[in-house]
Short mmCIF file of all heavy atoms in Angstrom, two decimals:
data_model
loop_
_atom_site.label_atom_id
_atom_site.label_comp_id
_atom_site.label_asym_id
_atom_site.label_seq_id
_atom_site.Cartn_x
_atom_site.Cartn_y
_atom_site.Cartn_z
N GLY A 255 132.19 5.90 95.31
CA GLY A 255 132.03 4.74 94.44
C GLY A 255 131.30 5.12 93.16
O GLY A 255 131.73 5.99 92.41
N ASP A 256 130.16 4.48 92.95
CA ASP A 256 129.39 4.73 91.73
C ASP A 256 128.27 5.73 91.94
O ASP A 256 127.33 5.80 91.14
CB ASP A 256 128.81 3.42 91.19
CG ASP A 256 127.87 2.75 92.19
OD1 ASP A 256 127.76 3.24 93.33
OD2 ASP A 256 127.25 1.72 91.82
N ALA A 257 128.34 6.52 93.00
CA ALA A 257 127.29 7.50 93.30
C ALA A 257 127.91 8.78 93.85
O ALA A 257 129.11 8.83 94.19
CB ALA A 257 126.28 6.93 94.29
N LEU A 258 127.08 9.79 93.92
CA LEU A 258 127.46 11.06 94.53
C LEU A 258 126.68 11.17 95.83
O LEU A 258 125.46 10.91 95.86
CB LEU A 258 127.07 12.21 93.59
CG LEU A 258 127.70 13.58 93.82
CD1 LEU A 258 129.18 13.54 93.48
CD2 LEU A 258 126.99 14.61 92.95
N THR A 259 127.33 11.53 96.91
CA THR A 259 126.63 11.76 98.16
C THR A 259 126.56 13.26 98.44
O THR A 259 127.50 14.00 98.14
CB THR A 259 127.30 11.06 99.35
OG1 THR A 259 128.61 11.61 99.54
CG2 THR A 259 127.40 9.56 99.10
N VAL A 260 125.42 13.69 98.98
CA VAL A 260 125.23 15.09 99.35
C VAL A 260 124.59 15.14 100.73
O VAL A 260 124.00 14.15 101.20
CB VAL A 260 124.33 15.83 98.32
CG1 VAL A 260 125.02 15.92 96.97
CG2 VAL A 260 122.97 15.17 98.19
N ARG A 261 124.68 16.29 101.36
CA ARG A 261 124.13 16.44 102.72
C ARG A 261 122.96 17.41 102.70
O ARG A 261 123.03 18.49 102.12
CB ARG A 261 125.22 16.97 103.66
CG ARG A 261 126.47 16.12 103.74
CD ARG A 261 126.29 14.90 104.60
NE ARG A 261 126.08 15.24 106.00
CZ ARG A 261 125.82 14.33 106.95
NH1 ARG A 261 125.74 13.04 106.62
NH2 ARG A 261 125.66 14.69 108.19
N TRP A 262 121.88 16.99 103.36
CA TRP A 262 120.76 17.89 103.66
C TRP A 262 120.57 17.85 105.17
O TRP A 262 120.18 16.83 105.72
CB TRP A 262 119.48 17.47 102.96
CG TRP A 262 118.31 18.35 103.33
CD1 TRP A 262 118.10 19.63 102.95
CD2 TRP A 262 117.22 18.00 104.19
NE1 TRP A 262 116.94 20.12 103.52
CE2 TRP A 262 116.38 19.13 104.27
CE3 TRP A 262 116.87 16.85 104.90
CZ2 TRP A 262 115.21 19.14 105.04
CZ3 TRP A 262 115.71 16.86 105.66
CH2 TRP A 262 114.88 18.00 105.72
N ARG A 263 120.93 18.93 105.84
CA ARG A 263 120.97 18.98 107.29
C ARG A 263 121.85 17.82 107.79
O ARG A 263 122.98 17.69 107.37
CB ARG A 263 119.56 18.97 107.87
CG ARG A 263 118.72 20.18 107.39
CD ARG A 263 117.39 20.26 108.07
NE ARG A 263 117.51 20.52 109.51
CZ ARG A 263 117.69 21.72 110.05
NH1 ARG A 263 117.75 22.81 109.29
NH2 ARG A 263 117.80 21.86 111.36
N ALA A 264 121.34 16.93 108.63
CA ALA A 264 122.17 15.83 109.14
C ALA A 264 122.01 14.56 108.31
O ALA A 264 122.59 13.53 108.64
CB ALA A 264 121.80 15.54 110.59
N ARG A 265 121.29 14.64 107.21
CA ARG A 265 120.96 13.46 106.43
C ARG A 265 121.82 13.41 105.16
O ARG A 265 122.12 14.44 104.56
CB ARG A 265 119.48 13.49 106.07
CG ARG A 265 118.96 12.19 105.47
CD ARG A 265 117.46 12.31 105.22
NE ARG A 265 116.73 12.46 106.45
CZ ARG A 265 116.26 11.45 107.17
NH1 ARG A 265 116.45 10.21 106.76
NH2 ARG A 265 115.60 11.66 108.27
N THR A 266 122.18 12.20 104.75
CA THR A 266 122.94 11.99 103.53
C THR A 266 122.04 11.39 102.46
O THR A 266 121.33 10.42 102.72
CB THR A 266 124.13 11.05 103.76
OG1 THR A 266 125.02 11.64 104.72
CG2 THR A 266 124.89 10.79 102.47
N PHE A 267 122.08 11.98 101.26
CA PHE A 267 121.35 11.43 100.11
C PHE A 267 122.36 10.99 99.05
O PHE A 267 123.45 11.54 98.95
CB PHE A 267 120.42 12.48 99.50
CG PHE A 267 119.29 12.89 100.39
CD1 PHE A 267 118.91 14.23 100.49
CD2 PHE A 267 118.57 11.96 101.12
CE1 PHE A 267 117.86 14.62 101.29
CE2 PHE A 267 117.52 12.34 101.94
CZ PHE A 267 117.16 13.68 102.02
N ARG A 268 121.96 10.01 98.27
CA ARG A 268 122.79 9.52 97.18
C ARG A 268 122.15 9.93 95.85
O ARG A 268 120.93 9.86 95.68
CB ARG A 268 122.94 7.99 97.25
CG ARG A 268 123.75 7.55 98.46
CD ARG A 268 123.79 6.03 98.58
NE ARG A 268 124.51 5.40 97.48
CZ ARG A 268 125.82 5.29 97.40
NH1 ARG A 268 126.59 5.81 98.36
NH2 ARG A 268 126.40 4.68 96.39
N ALA A 269 123.01 10.34 94.90
CA ALA A 269 122.53 10.78 93.58
C ALA A 269 123.43 10.16 92.52
O ALA A 269 124.51 9.64 92.81
CB ALA A 269 122.57 12.31 93.49
N ARG A 270 122.96 10.22 91.29
CA ARG A 270 123.78 9.70 90.19
C ARG A 270 125.01 10.57 90.00
O ARG A 270 125.01 11.77 90.30
CB ARG A 270 122.96 9.66 88.90
CG ARG A 270 122.63 11.03 88.35
CD ARG A 270 122.01 10.95 86.98
NE ARG A 270 120.69 10.36 87.01
CZ ARG A 270 119.88 10.30 85.95
NH1 ARG A 270 120.30 10.76 84.79
NH2 ARG A 270 118.68 9.78 86.04
N LEU A 271 126.06 9.98 89.48
CA LEU A 271 127.26 10.74 89.18
C LEU A 271 127.00 11.69 88.01
O LEU A 271 126.17 11.39 87.15
CB LEU A 271 128.41 9.80 88.81
CG LEU A 271 129.04 9.01 89.96
CD1 LEU A 271 130.01 7.98 89.39
CD2 LEU A 271 129.74 9.94 90.93
N PRO A 272 127.69 12.83 87.94
CA PRO A 272 127.55 13.71 86.78
C PRO A 272 127.89 12.96 85.51
O PRO A 272 128.73 12.06 85.51
CB PRO A 272 128.55 14.83 87.05
CG PRO A 272 128.78 14.80 88.53
CD PRO A 272 128.62 13.37 88.94
N GLN A 273 127.24 13.34 84.41
CA GLN A 273 127.49 12.67 83.13
C GLN A 273 128.94 12.82 82.72
O GLN A 273 129.57 11.89 82.22
CB GLN A 273 126.57 13.23 82.05
CG GLN A 273 126.63 12.44 80.75
CD GLN A 273 125.54 12.86 79.80
OE1 GLN A 273 124.96 13.94 79.93
NE2 GLN A 273 125.22 12.02 78.83
N ALA A 274 129.47 14.06 82.89
CA ALA A 274 130.91 14.27 82.70
C ALA A 274 131.54 14.12 84.08
O ALA A 274 131.40 15.00 84.93
CB ALA A 274 131.18 15.65 82.13
N PRO A 275 132.16 12.98 84.38
CA PRO A 275 132.63 12.73 85.75
C PRO A 275 133.68 13.73 86.19
O PRO A 275 134.38 14.30 85.35
CB PRO A 275 133.21 11.32 85.67
CG PRO A 275 133.53 11.11 84.23
CD PRO A 275 132.52 11.91 83.46
N PRO A 276 133.77 13.96 87.49
CA PRO A 276 134.80 14.86 87.99
C PRO A 276 136.19 14.36 87.61
O PRO A 276 136.37 13.24 87.15
CB PRO A 276 134.59 14.82 89.51
CG PRO A 276 133.19 14.33 89.71
CD PRO A 276 132.91 13.42 88.55
N SER A 277 137.17 15.20 87.83
CA SER A 277 138.56 14.87 87.48
C SER A 277 138.96 13.51 88.04
O SER A 277 138.52 13.09 89.10
CB SER A 277 139.48 15.97 88.04
OG SER A 277 140.81 15.55 87.99
N ALA A 278 139.82 12.83 87.28
CA ALA A 278 140.29 11.53 87.72
C ALA A 278 141.39 11.64 88.79
O ALA A 278 142.01 10.64 89.16
CB ALA A 278 140.83 10.75 86.54
N ALA A 279 141.62 12.85 89.28
CA ALA A 279 142.62 13.04 90.33
C ALA A 279 142.23 12.25 91.57
O ALA A 279 141.07 11.88 91.74
CB ALA A 279 142.74 14.53 90.66
N PRO A 280 143.17 11.98 92.48
CA PRO A 280 142.86 11.18 93.67
C PRO A 280 141.65 11.71 94.43
O PRO A 280 140.83 10.94 94.90
CB PRO A 280 144.14 11.28 94.50
CG PRO A 280 145.22 11.49 93.47
CD PRO A 280 144.60 12.31 92.39
N ASP A 281 141.55 13.02 94.59
CA ASP A 281 140.38 13.59 95.24
C ASP A 281 139.44 14.13 94.17
O ASP A 281 139.45 15.31 93.84
CB ASP A 281 140.80 14.71 96.20
CG ASP A 281 139.60 15.25 96.99
OD1 ASP A 281 138.50 14.64 96.88
OD2 ASP A 281 139.77 16.26 97.68
N ALA A 282 138.62 13.24 93.60
CA ALA A 282 137.73 13.63 92.50
C ALA A 282 136.67 14.61 92.95
O ALA A 282 136.09 15.33 92.14
CB ALA A 282 137.08 12.38 91.90
N SER A 283 136.37 14.65 94.25
CA SER A 283 135.32 15.53 94.75
C SER A 283 135.75 16.99 94.76
O SER A 283 134.91 17.88 94.89
CB SER A 283 134.92 15.12 96.17
OG SER A 283 134.47 13.79 96.20
#
Side-chain angles (χ1 to χ4, degrees):
D256 61 354
L258 197 69
T259 63
V260 295
R261 302 282 294 176
W262 177 72
R263 300 186 65 82
R265 190 177 295 270
T266 298
F267 293 138
R268 293 175 66 81
R270 69 171 69 174
L271 287 171
Q273 188 169 19
S277 167
D281 185 8
S283 302

